[in-house]
Amino acid sequence: MTVNIIGLARDVYKGLPTTLCAGCGHNSITNHLIKALYEYGVEPHRLAKMSGIGCSSKTPAYFVDQAHGFNGVHGRMPSAATGAKLANRDLVVLGISGDGDTASIGLGQFAHLVRRNLDCTYIVENNGVYGLTKGQFSATADIGSTLKNGTVNEYAMIDVCGLAIELGATFVARSFSGDGKQLVPLIQAAIAHGGTAILDIISPCVTFNDHVGSTKSYAYVKDHEMVANMPDFIRPKEEITVDYEPGTTQTIELEGGAHVLLRKIDATYDATDRIGALQAIHAARGKGEFLTGLLFVDATVPDLCEKERMTATPLKDLGEAELRIGREDWAKLFA
Amino acid sequence: MQRAINDFTIRVATVNGSGSQSSNLVLTNAIFSLGIPVAPKNVFPSNIEGLPTWFDVRVTARGYQCRTREIDLLVGLNAATWRTDVASVKPGGAIVHEASYPIAGDTLRDDVVYYAVPFNELAKANFDGTLRKYLLNMVYVGVLAELLGIDEATIEAAIGKQFKSKPKAVATNMDAARVGFAYAREHLTKNDPYALERMSGRTEGRLFMDGNRAAALGCVMGGCTVAAWYPITPSSSLCENFIALTEKYRVNKATGEKNVAIVQAEDELAAIGMVLGAGWAGARAMTSTSGPGLSLMAEWAGYGYYAEIPAVIFDVQRAGPSTGLPTRTMQADVSFAYHLSHGDTKHIVLLPATVNDAYEMAMDAFDLADRFQTPVFVLSDLDLGMNSWITEPFAYPERPFDRGKVLDAADLAKAESWGRYRDVDHDGIPYRTLPGTDHPNAGYFTRGTGHDEQARYSELPDVWQRGLDRLTRKHDTARAAVPKPIVEDDGQPAAILAYGTTHHAVVEARDILRADGIAVDYLRLRALPFAPEVAAFIARHERVYVVEQNRDAQLYTLLRAELPNHLVSRIRSIRHYNGVPIDAHAIIDPLLAAEREPAVVAE
């Protein structure tokens, strides 16, 4: 039997059968997640699968069945994820959200999660539309994009990646649900990153947003993807073998000695340049294109647990001796 | 003139932002240090600088802790409220005031004594520019001390306590107080009945504590490791005290590492979300808020109830509806908190009345939250949370934390199977596992959607109904586990039922009634759901007056909904809801009216 580096079979990383529509981009993402987690060797018991409400937020049930899942309330996954990580900093926190869950009802919590740089992976399964309530626009729908019934979106879109970079995010990537080659190493790099890693994944809704006139349909995305870079994930102690032309790659060290090697498709793209990343995102959007790849990374910023100078022991494991004021100090308090 | 020794109330009327709070506390502590019980009540505006504020110091040899309506001695230092402040003084009282205030028309009374003091001139003559307005307030302390018979050494000690870390401030403030002492000695002739005399037996070994600090101490001793909060009056000082205490007692001095995580959240939605996330992952977590914040927490509260996650939520109640009066007190969140969230929800709610309750119930709340795997609400109020109360030192907790029914990897290895929402023990309380438990069967999917005993999504009618019924069973189990009511039953036909800070007015009201030959029994409710003792107590009495500080008789209504039919007609409602703490007469007057003519009782 084939096993991963911690001796587990790939089946361990599977979950319940999906209840989403056949052909839904989210199902592809689930499959890429299973592959990424299996190859990475995430311990199932350490994984905390967090989500809010919506089609996207159902997907934690469809992978790593052994892990604990937390399907919370709409737009509030970031706060629950924050609490879980504070209680047990040994957890690998993986949040799955959607465009409504993140950019509409949950925009506030999304912004503050990014500000705090909680060590977690935050995936936005972005299809520009509300699926469970049958096809209303979400806040990530492009201006001019149409609903199935012809309604045209007249309101400005919220660019999850651009917003995250502006808010001080330390790891921002965009990809496409159909591009496992790019997405699997991005997920692995996101898990390795010691801070909030935002993955905005365009994930077409086959039922409500895959028509002509939609800018989040399979056809549109395939025609308008502009790849900035293709990542390779290099685990700690693994040798970095570069057989590419000098100047065509960029290697970034992540927490714990892992690296992400970026093969530049756009030779001028620098994933460590915050302003440059914003400019490139805007430029692509101006042309109706999606810029994909690891758009920005800064692995030097301390995460929330570090900033709060929390003890290495999970807080949940502390007992009376560590937590109560000692008897001598207690007596002094009332002296 | 009949002397009034150690039994009167001083009202200090000032402008907020003028530093009067320090002077007020110096006065309070000085009187306390003479062995005389005092009950300070700060009636302050929702404002940083420039609005009227009042500080009432009730000097009470018998130790009453509630507010009183009778103002004996006014310190008038606010021109804007001068007219109404003069009117608030009872006949025979005395008024110390800024000499330039007019005494004519409304403010000219022949039944009070005036002590005019040129505070502004004294301040100008004695203090430099920036500190002038602050030190002016310390002058009044000196004047009052001289008039009431507090010596300079006692005031100096109280100033030392107030500014303990700043020796220069101690000296400057004492100089200001001396200006007041000297002026009063040289220019005022005492002509009022009020005097302070050192006494014993009431304050020894006791101290002042406010409820928010007491609750924060309970959080430390109760093992809270995660706190998430959004600042809101009057609850902010609860988390601020928790921060200060943990900085002192939860930091490894060698490494600087903390055994706590405290997040100032972006709003109350996030604060309670963090608390639930932490509770789910096994930490003891809390948030503190007040009415508007509680409204925002409603969504997650229902999730916590249905997904069964421990959480502790302090609601330091203020006057609502809406933004209401942020700096005034009410008990108007009781029914909202009990049923917080949509759908069928009912929570465990603890009702502290004293600072000792605030401390003990904070610890109880963490145990109950873990034991019952549910959000537990602690309903304090502004009066308890922000005013200082005399208390015995708190008892050191001797019992270990009750972490409830948690299965670890070893338990799972022994068990053939387990189900997150199975009622194995027939008490409605299931078993849970924590994320991070290293066993293949540990994981489950926590959700606010309909779920079966294995935590799987289910829309089946009987699965749904069985789940709701089990939650009711769990709620009923809690009746015997929450803090019990305190019952004083002498077999009288009439009784009072009250909770929270209303208690202190009940104590005085019963004494006054008893002195008039009317004895009433008393049940102090300390938690929801109702313990069995409540209905039993009502069954033993013909008339039970439910006293509370809200307009809509909220607890009375909850009682009516749960009492057996034959007992419903025995309860009557007495309410107080003007935003200032209830006093004894707000109970006595309607109670006597009802006792004399039961038919007029408002139902």
Side-chain angles (χ1 to χ4, degrees), chain B residues 14-342:
Chain B
T14 50
V15 177
N16 83 320
S18 67
S20 55
Q21 188 68 349
S22 302
S23 308
N24 298 335
L25 293 175
V26 165
L27 177 69
T28 305
N29 277 306
I31 299 170
F32 183 73
S33 72
L34 296 172
I36 308 163
V38 275
K41 300 282 178 205
N42 191 9
V43 180
F44 60 105
S46 178
N47 178 261
I48 299 302
E49 189 178 296
L51 286 186
T53 185
W54 296 270
F55 192 82
D56 291 355
V57 184
R58 181 173 188 189
V59 182
T60 160
R62 281 166 293 183
Y64 294 127
Q65 294 283 291
C66 60
R67 191 179 68 88
T68 171
R69 292 177 192 184
E70 308 246 281
I71 302 303
D72 297 276
L73 187 49
L74 171 73
V75 179
L77 285 174
N78 184 358
T81 57
W82 170 238
R83 264 186 64 212
T84 49
D85 288 338
V86 169
S88 73
V89 178
K90 78 172 196 189
I95 299 173
V96 174
H97 64 96
E98 159 57 38
S100 62
Y101 293 172
I103 298 178
D106 285 353
T107 56
L108 174 60
R109 287 176 54 176
D110 57 9
D111 56 352
V112 294
V113 179
Y114 292 88
Y115 299 109
V117 179
F119 286 102
N120 289 324
E121 281 178 29
L122 288 172
K124 251 181 231 163
N126 289 285
F127 319 127
D128 289 338
T130 51
L131 285 176
R132 191 175 287 153
K133 73 170 179 178
Y134 302 105
L135 291 171
L136 186 149
N137 286 306
M138 208 54 78
V139 176
Y140 98 69
V141 173
V143 171
L144 269 194
E146 179 67 23
L147 284 171
L148 295 172
I150 312 176
D151 59 27
E152 287 195 18
T154 302
I155 294 296
E156 191 158 18
I159 288 175
K161 198 176 166 196
Q162 183 68 28
F163 300 97
K164 48 189 161 219
S165 55
K166 305 175 214 156
K168 206 178 149 204
V170 173
T172 317
N173 278 280
M174 191 56 212
D175 287 346
R178 283 199 187 96
V179 170
F181 270 108
Y183 185 88
R185 256 194 312 270
E186 289 160 28
H187 300 93
L188 303 181
T189 309
K190 184 163 171 77
N191 185 27
D192 66 68
Y194 307 111
L196 295 170
E197 287 180 5
R198 188 178 285 278
M199 57 182 276
S200 61
R202 280 281 185 183
T203 63
E204 289 80 357
R206 299 188 180 195
L207 66 150
F208 276 116
M209 178 83 74
D210 64 64
N212 283 350
R213 181 166 171 82
L217 271 170
C219 291
V220 174
M221 302 307 272
C224 176
T225 53
V226 176
W229 65 299
Y230 188 77
I232 181 170
T233 305
S235 80
S236 303
S237 63
L238 200 162
C239 272
E240 284 166 343
N241 270 290
F242 186 68
I243 292 167
L245 288 165
T246 55
E247 278 172 359
K248 192 157 181 198
Y249 299 108
R250 290 276 188 84
V251 181
N252 181 324
K253 291 195 175 68
T255 63
E257 286 179 353
K258 295 185 197 173
N259 286 338
V260 73
I262 304 170
V263 180
Q264 185 182 319
E266 56 270 32
D267 53 32
E268 289 88 347
L269 305 168
I272 189 174
M274 290 175 196
V275 167
L276 284 168
W280 173 75
R284 295 195 143 188
M286 71 94 169
T287 184
S288 70
T289 190
S290 191
L294 196 69
S295 289
L296 288 185
M297 291 180 183
E299 181 189 37
W300 267 128
Y303 183 93
Y305 171 79
Y306 185 60
E308 300 183 64
I309 299 173
V312 173
I313 298 118
F314 291 92
D315 173 17
V316 187
Q317 296 168 97
R318 65 193 217 183
S322 190
T323 310
L325 296 174
T327 59
R328 299 297 154 84
T329 198
M330 274 178 82
Q331 299 178 309
D333 296 346
V334 176
S335 59
F336 183 55
Y338 187 51
H339 290 298
L340 191 65
S341 208
H342 57 272

Side-chain angles (χ1 to χ4, degrees), chain A residues 199-265:
Chain A
L199 286 173
D200 179 32
I201 306 172
I202 310 303
S203 175
C205 172
V206 286
T207 305
F208 296 108
N209 209 10
D210 201 28
H211 47 271
V212 174
S214 159
T215 58
K216 297 249 185 327
S217 66
Y218 277 107
Y220 187 93
V221 176
K222 276 177 189 156
D223 286 350
H224 295 81
E225 184 180 3
M226 193 164 89
V227 182
N229 53 42
M230 290 296 282
D232 287 331
F233 177 67
I234 298 151
R235 61 179 65 256
K237 292 177 191 156
E238 201 177 324
E239 199 184 341
I240 305 172
T241 49
V242 183
D243 51 3
Y244 303 107
E245 288 292 310
T248 63
T249 63
Q250 185 172 21
T251 306
I252 294 141
E253 184 173 355
L254 303 170
E255 193 168 270
H259 290 78
V260 61
L261 184 147
L262 301 174
R263 282 172 282 135
K264 295 184 184 181
I265 307 301

Side-chain angles (χ1 to χ4, degrees), chain A residues 45 66 68-72 76 79-80 83-84 87 109 112 116 308-309 311 315-316 320 323-325 327 330, chain B residues 221 250 256 258-259 266 270 274 278 281 299 303 394 396 398-401 433-434 436-438 442-444 446:
Chain A
H45 74 274
Q66 285 182 14
H68 276 76
F70 187 107
N71 179 209
R76 323 278 178 238
S79 59
Q109 295 213 346
H112 289 274
R116 294 189 185 101
E308 288 298 313
R309 303 201 314 282
T311 179
L315 294 178
K316 75 171 180 72
E320 293 84 350
L323 299 179
R324 282 180 176 161
I325 299 169
R327 283 176 195 273
W330 186 254
Chain B
M221 302 307 272
R250 290 276 188 84
K258 295 185 197 173
N259 286 338
E266 56 270 32
M274 290 175 196
E299 181 189 37
Y303 183 93
F394 299 153
Y396 195 88
E398 300 299 338
R399 61 170 202 257
F401 303 148
T433 59
L434 303 180
T437 304
D438 191 1
Y444 67 93
T446 303

Side-chain angles (χ1 to χ4, degrees), chain B residues 472-496:
Chain B
T472 297
R473 201 148 63 239
K474 183 166 92 165
H475 191 73
D476 286 337
T477 301
R479 292 177 194 279
V482 297
K484 287 197 184 313
I486 294 173
V487 176
E488 292 175 45
D489 191 341
D490 292 326
Q492 303 297 332
I496 290 172

